[in-house]
């Protein structure tokens, strides 16, 4: 595929679910400073995107930071990135399922999540994945609905000012940092472009351009939403809403059902892509003995159905035992860890300027790593503890496998 197809996949991955659900948990942490949280998350995403684009040009192979970490830093950093990706995207699958539930059946989101995740696995196991053409349709629809929602909400007289203040529930910048970490969940889809190294024409040119266009478009849309949603609903109502965009357009010229349809279509398309990418990363890790080797098995359609099914089952369990905020926070923690390894790999990358024609300045790669770690530390302790527990168990299992 070319730049348009790769950009559409990135847009579809970023606009799949987070754009419709992340605002409630983020507003609860950031209060009136929601826009600043989005801007911080955007800066972190941009720094990581620069590092990822450079690495994708130097190493035009599938696998993302798992492959980059192994090539530049060694097997263990690669494992950390890989297990961070698997954990983060499994939590993302749970969060996206719950997001669909929040819009379709708010009283029973876990039931809807179970059906959506199981259907996604069933389709993927038969080789039905989202193509670049489908991504263009989905991304165009979601962008159009989000723009319409911003215009509709901006035309209302809400109970509060726009989200440009600096007053947070904690009274410090800590609330903004936590909100930025949560909002990062909605940015993380641009990593999907980097995993397309073997599927695009001229990856050294196409991947950096696609990441820049997709990330820039999404940042503009997110800043606009962060500005108008608190004004239309008030911070408290926004923090309590699990379907904030649909709630905000109620009473405007844009019917909430349009938002619901776009949210479900975008989220399910993202779910298909996530399940496929998650299964293939788990398969690659299993082949290197970084995960149990049976997960490397494929079915008659060359699909790693066992790996995808295992991840889907774990995501369903998380959807039932946790909630949307916990799933988003766990996903953000693990994905930020993934990007920290990517930033360290870009800092270390040899011959990057020669191969890619440009180089991400090393101080910026280092700044991306530091900011990733800072945002990870700002997340709720329960999510951090749960994610670290899974990572430690994975590391112990790998150590035992290496010893054998």
């Amino acid at each position: 595929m070319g730049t348009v197809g790769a950009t559409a996949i990135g847009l579809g991955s970023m606009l799949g679910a987070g754009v419709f659900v992340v605002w409630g948990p983020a507003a609860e942490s950031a209060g009136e400073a929601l826009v600043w949280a989005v801007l911080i998350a955007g800066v972190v995403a941009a720094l990581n995107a620069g590092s990822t684009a450079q690495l994708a040009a130097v190493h035009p192979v599938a696998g993302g930071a798992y492959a980059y970490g192994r090539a530049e830093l060694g097997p263990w950093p690669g494992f950390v990135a890989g297990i961070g990706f698997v954990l983060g995207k499994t939590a993302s699958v749970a969060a996206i399922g719950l997001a669909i539930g929040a819009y379709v059946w708010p009283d029973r989101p876990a039931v809807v999540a179970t059906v959506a995740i199981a259907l996604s696995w069933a389709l993927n196991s038969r080789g039905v994945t989202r193509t670049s053409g489908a991504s263009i349709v989905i991304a165009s629809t979601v962008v159009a609905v989000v723009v319409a929602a911003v215009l509709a909400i901006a035309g209302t007289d809400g109970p509060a000012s726009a989200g440009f203040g600096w007053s947070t529930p904690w009274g410090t910048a800590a609330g903004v940092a936590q909100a930025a970490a949560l909002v990062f969940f909605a940015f993380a889809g641009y990593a999907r472009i980097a995993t397309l190294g073997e599927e695009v024409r001229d990856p050294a040119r196409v991947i950096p351009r696609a990441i820049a266009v997709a990330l820039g478009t999404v940042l503009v849309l997110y800043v606009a939403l962060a500005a108008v949603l608190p004004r239309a609903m008030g911070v408290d109502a926004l923090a309590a809403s699990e379907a904030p965009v649909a709630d905000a357009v109620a009473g405007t010229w844009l019917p909430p059902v349009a938002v619901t349809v776009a949210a479900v279509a975008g989220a399910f398309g993202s779910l298909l892509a996530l399940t496929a990418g998650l299964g293939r990363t788990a398969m690659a890790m299993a082949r290197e003995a970084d995960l149990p080797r049976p997960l490397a098995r494929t079915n008659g359609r060359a699909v790693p159905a066992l790996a995808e099914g295992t991840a889907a089952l774990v995501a369903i369990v998380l959807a039932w035992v946790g909630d949307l905020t916990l799933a988003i926070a766990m996903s953000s923690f693990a994905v930020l860890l993934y990007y920290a390894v990517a930033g360290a790999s870009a800092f270390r990358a040899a011959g990057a300027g020669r191969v890619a024609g440009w180089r991400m300045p090393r101080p910026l790669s280092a700044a991306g790593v530091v900011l990733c770690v800072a945002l990870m530390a700002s997340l709720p302790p329960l999510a951090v503890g749960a994610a670290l527990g899974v990572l430690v168990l994975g590391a112990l299992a790998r150590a035992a496998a290496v010893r054998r």
Side-chain angles (χ1 to χ4, degrees):
M1 68 185 74
T3 302
V4 173
T7 301
I9 284 182
L11 281 172
S13 298
M14 282 186 279
L15 295 172
V19 66
F20 294 104
V21 297
V22 78
W23 307 109
E28 187 175 2
S29 298
E32 298 174 1
L34 187 57
V35 169
W36 298 110
V38 173
L39 291 174
I40 292 171
V43 168
V44 177
L47 292 173
N48 293 331
S51 296
T52 302
Q54 173 187 292
L55 290 165
V58 177
H59 304 286
V61 297
Y66 173 64
Y68 310 150
R70 288 182 65 89
E72 298 291 346
L73 303 174
W76 271 104
F79 168 78
V80 170
I83 200 69
F85 180 89
V86 170
L87 171 60
K89 297 310 178 183
T90 300
S92 292
V93 169
I96 292 172
L98 290 171
I100 295 173
Y103 277 84
V104 173
W105 193 5
D107 295 333
R108 295 289 187 273
V111 174
V112 178
T114 300
V115 174
I117 294 169
L119 180 58
S120 174
W121 172 77
L123 291 173
N124 269 294
S125 66
R126 296 183 61 83
V128 180
T129 58
R130 194 181 64 185
T131 65
S132 61
S135 295
I136 293 173
V137 174
I138 292 172
S140 300
T141 301
V142 174
V143 168
V145 171
V146 170
V147 170
V150 169
L151 295 176
I153 297 168
T156 63
D157 294 325
S161 61
F164 287 95
W166 193 252
S167 173
T168 73
W170 298 2
T172 67
V176 177
Q178 184 175 105
L182 294 170
V183 171
F184 189 81
F185 165 79
F187 278 101
Y190 62 81
R192 180 73 180 102
I193 302 175
T195 65
L196 300 173
E198 298 176 357
E199 303 172 56
V200 298
R201 298 187 300 269
D202 190 9
R205 179 183 62 86
V206 169
I207 289 179
R209 182 179 298 177
I211 289 177
V213 174
L215 187 59
T217 302
V218 166
L219 179 59
V220 171
L221 292 176
Y222 288 179
V223 168
L225 279 172
V228 300
L229 285 173
R231 178 179 178 273
M233 302 177 65
V235 171
D236 292 339
L238 178 58
S241 175
E242 292 192 350
V245 182
D247 291 344
V249 301
T252 70
W253 55 265
L254 182 66
V257 67
V259 175
T260 298
V261 170
V264 172
F268 191 74
S270 181
L271 198 59
L272 277 175
L274 267 179
T275 304
L278 182 55
R280 281 152 182 77
T281 300
M283 177 181 66
M285 295 182 68
R287 287 173 175 170
E288 299 289 344
D290 283 339
L291 286 177
R293 288 193 183 276
L295 296 181
R297 297 173 183 166
T298 59
N299 62 16
R301 293 179 171 84
V303 175
L306 180 59
E308 291 180 358
T310 301
L313 181 60
V314 174
I316 289 171
V317 171
L318 179 58
W320 280 95
V321 303
D323 58 16
L324 184 60
T325 300
L326 176 63
I328 289 175
M330 287 185 65
S331 175
S332 295
F333 181 91
V335 173
L336 284 165
L337 176 63
Y338 172 89
Y339 282 115
V341 175
S345 300
F347 186 86
R348 171 68 175 77
R354 176 176 57 81
V355 176
W358 64 283
R359 183 183 182 95
M360 177 75 170
R362 284 188 167 183
L364 293 183
S365 293
V369 175
V370 171
L371 287 172
C372 282
V373 174
L375 293 188
M376 288 163 61
S378 73
L379 285 163
L382 177 60
V384 173
L388 284 176
V390 174
L391 294 171
V392 169
L393 288 175
L396 292 175
R398 184 182 190 275
V402 169
R403 188 175 299 112
R404 287 197 303 270

